[in-house]
Amino acid sequence: MNIKIYIHPEFKDTFWTQLSLKATAAEITRKRYTAEYIEADKVEDIDFDKVFEGEEKRILLYIGHSVLGTPHDLKYLTDHGVHVILLNYESSVLSGSCSKVLLNYRDGMQKSISYLTANKHDRIALFGINPNSSTDMLKDSYFVEYLRERGGNPTRDIYYNYGSITGCFARFAENYRDYNAVICSNDVVALVLIQNLKEIGVRVPEDMYVTACGGSSMLSSIANTTITTVFADQYELGRQAVLTYSYLYKNPCDVALSVKVEAKLTVRQSTNFDPDPGEDLVTTLSKQVPNVDFYDDPVIQKIFDIEALLLNSDELDRGILDGILSGETYPSIAERLYTSENVISYRIKRMCKLTNTSKKNELVALITPYLKK
């Protein structure tokens, strides 16, 4: 079976899209299917008669989660008889003739809030929400309900990222004393928040607990302060997307499926390793929002550069990283790792290329604030 995949150009090179593609490709290979990627700058450029031959069933796996752009694409595709499978996107304006596979973000928010309140950290802010991300707006919606049920103030207690995580933190810094816990939109944002809090003298977790609702970053598990996060199982999302495609392709009826992957809470240092008691506490708003690109922010991009390095590093690379972060000389690193100085030099040049740095000192300066020495 040939699985057709279209990636919205705005999200093509993002870290989470690459994880989704890797997970989907793994399941496609396991099933011995083939993947066909539809190359088009916009859905209007797709030649449907060429993509779908003869009487072939028109099914398309769509990757992209723009609050502004995805509904337009969805309408165009369904108007042309394409059954769309949306990967990790949900909206109140979705067409009925599409299927979706997504992490259960409402469940993730519920688990995050329940965990914090059970551990007596109930003055909670929601931080770093991207108003142009459908998944972030699901988190926003649930948190609004939570605040209203408890007499909270969504205008005050939700901090949006309007294209600058630095500006978002500046707004939060004016009110941080009002909170003893923060739920971040994802673990990358949480890493930035913790570093910024440290710079103004706020300790995590001693002064404030930090969690993330949406975790897939390797860095969050090995950072200076590891992040308590609701885990987004990208591989399960990819597996379910392929299974959904296969079912729809083989089913003679035109049905719409909705698959939600369970959110999993992983407790780490940013909440003092407090145990999860597993208690439950406690659905949606629609907003007109600006077109914000989370990935253009230079501070966020630094995190993704580090993540790219970690994803492409082997055991030798990790040993070299440990060495340069500890200030070891090349001869010392080479002796410890049973290799040559030339290999060390070559590997460090490769690391610099992966992280868009030009020399070792820049690489160390990039990584040091976030990675354990």
Side-chain angles (χ1 to χ4, degrees):
M1 184 169 59
N2 216 8
I3 294 184
K4 324 282 187 180
I5 302 172
Y6 177 74
I7 308 165
H8 191 291
E10 182 181 348
F11 302 96
K12 199 164 190 177
D13 296 322
T14 65
F15 171 67
W16 287 294
T17 295
Q18 293 305 310
L19 282 182
S20 298
L21 286 176
K22 187 175 181 180
T24 305
E27 184 64 16
I28 289 172
T29 300
R30 195 181 75 82
K31 289 285 190 180
R32 298 186 178 179
Y33 299 151
T34 56
E36 180 181 341
Y37 297 97
I38 311 303
E39 298 292 338
D41 290 335
K42 53 185 184 296
V43 292
E44 288 86 349
D45 295 336
I46 299 175
D47 184 342
F48 295 107
D49 292 331
K50 184 177 179 180
V51 171
F52 303 101
E53 299 178 358
E55 299 298 316
E56 183 182 9
K57 211 166 185 182
R58 293 191 170 193
I59 304 173
L60 187 68
L61 177 60
Y62 180 102
I63 299 176
H65 50 263
S66 169
V67 169
L68 300 175
T70 301
H72 164 269
D73 288 357
L74 180 60
K75 183 178 186 309
Y76 184 85
L77 291 167
T78 54
D79 285 349
H80 285 77
V82 179
H83 186 109
V84 181
I85 302 172
L86 292 157
L87 186 60
N88 225 17
Y89 179 96
E90 186 167 45
S91 167
S92 59
V93 296
L94 284 181
S95 164
S97 58
C98 70
S99 297
K100 54 194 175 185
V101 178
L102 73 159
L103 181 75
N104 192 340
Y105 284 102
R106 291 180 59 81
D107 177 53
M109 284 297 295
Q110 178 178 329
K111 286 179 177 176
S112 298
I113 293 171
S114 297
Y115 169 76
L116 290 170
T117 55
N119 285 294
K120 304 188 186 311
H121 283 72
D122 56 359
R123 292 184 286 113
I124 306 170
L126 183 62
F127 179 82
I129 292 294
N130 177 0
N132 192 36
S133 164
S134 66
T135 54
D136 274 11
M137 294 315 292
L138 288 174
K139 303 163 197 175
D140 174 272
S141 172
Y142 187 89
F143 197 69
V144 166
E145 294 174 19
Y146 164 77
L147 290 175
R148 286 180 172 167
E149 287 182 9
R150 282 150 186 76
N153 184 343
T155 303
R156 180 194 65 203
D157 298 331
I158 301 177
Y159 295 85
Y160 296 96
N161 177 9
Y162 294 110
S164 168
I165 197 67
T166 302
C168 184
F169 179 75
R171 294 188 294 274
F172 177 77
E174 295 176 358
N175 305 308
Y176 76 88
R177 293 179 180 84
D178 295 338
Y179 310 107
N180 58 14
V182 183
I183 298 174
C184 293
S185 56
N186 56 64
D187 49 2
V188 171
V189 167
L191 288 164
V192 175
L193 175 64
I194 290 173
Q195 181 62 22
N196 287 341
L197 287 172
K198 180 180 178 182
E199 290 174 2
I200 64 171
V202 179
R203 301 168 301 166
V204 175
E206 293 87 349
D207 302 323
M208 186 174 297
Y209 277 16
V210 172
T211 69
C213 187
S216 53
S217 168
M218 288 176 60
L219 187 54
S220 65
S221 64
I222 59 174
N224 290 332
T225 303
T226 57
I227 311 297
T228 293
T229 183
V230 171
F231 179 64
D233 191 337
Q234 295 290 336
Y235 284 93
E236 182 61 18
L237 283 169
R239 190 177 79 86
Q240 291 297 336
V242 174
L243 290 174
T244 299
Y245 196 110
S246 175
Y247 177 84
L248 292 170
Y249 190 86
K250 296 173 183 177
N251 195 314
C253 301
D254 187 16
V255 295
L257 303 178
S258 180
V259 180
K260 289 189 178 181
V261 176
E262 181 186 2
K264 298 178 181 178
L265 179 70
T266 300
V267 175
R268 297 192 179 109
Q269 185 181 356
S270 66
T271 57
N272 201 38
F273 295 103
D274 284 350
D276 178 14
E279 298 176 3
D280 276 344
L281 297 176
V282 271
T283 290
T284 55
L285 300 179
S286 176
K287 298 182 179 180
Q288 296 296 320
V289 296
N291 187 10
V292 174
D293 188 350
F294 174 72
Y295 307 97
D296 278 348
D297 189 307
V299 178
I300 296 298
Q301 189 56 53
K302 288 181 180 181
I303 303 293
F304 287 123
D305 287 341
I306 300 171
E307 191 68 26
L309 171 63
L310 294 175
L311 286 171
N312 290 280
S313 294
D314 57 18
E315 187 175 348
L316 178 58
D317 290 323
R318 297 290 180 86
I320 294 170
L321 276 174
D322 288 342
I324 62 176
L325 287 172
S326 301
E328 280 189 73
T329 63
Y330 283 18
S332 174
I333 296 172
E335 182 180 357
R336 176 169 56 84
L337 298 177
Y338 303 102
T339 187
S340 70
E341 291 182 49
N342 286 338
V343 169
I344 302 296
S345 179
Y346 169 78
R347 291 286 183 124
I348 289 176
K349 287 178 181 178
R350 176 176 169 273
M351 292 179 195
C352 288
K353 185 176 181 180
L354 283 167
T355 55
N356 297 305
T357 54
S358 59
K359 53 189 177 181
K360 185 191 75 172
N361 289 345
E362 290 182 12
L363 175 66
V364 171
L366 172 69
I367 295 173
T368 298
Y370 302 103
L371 201 60
K372 289 180 178 178
K373 298 181 182 63

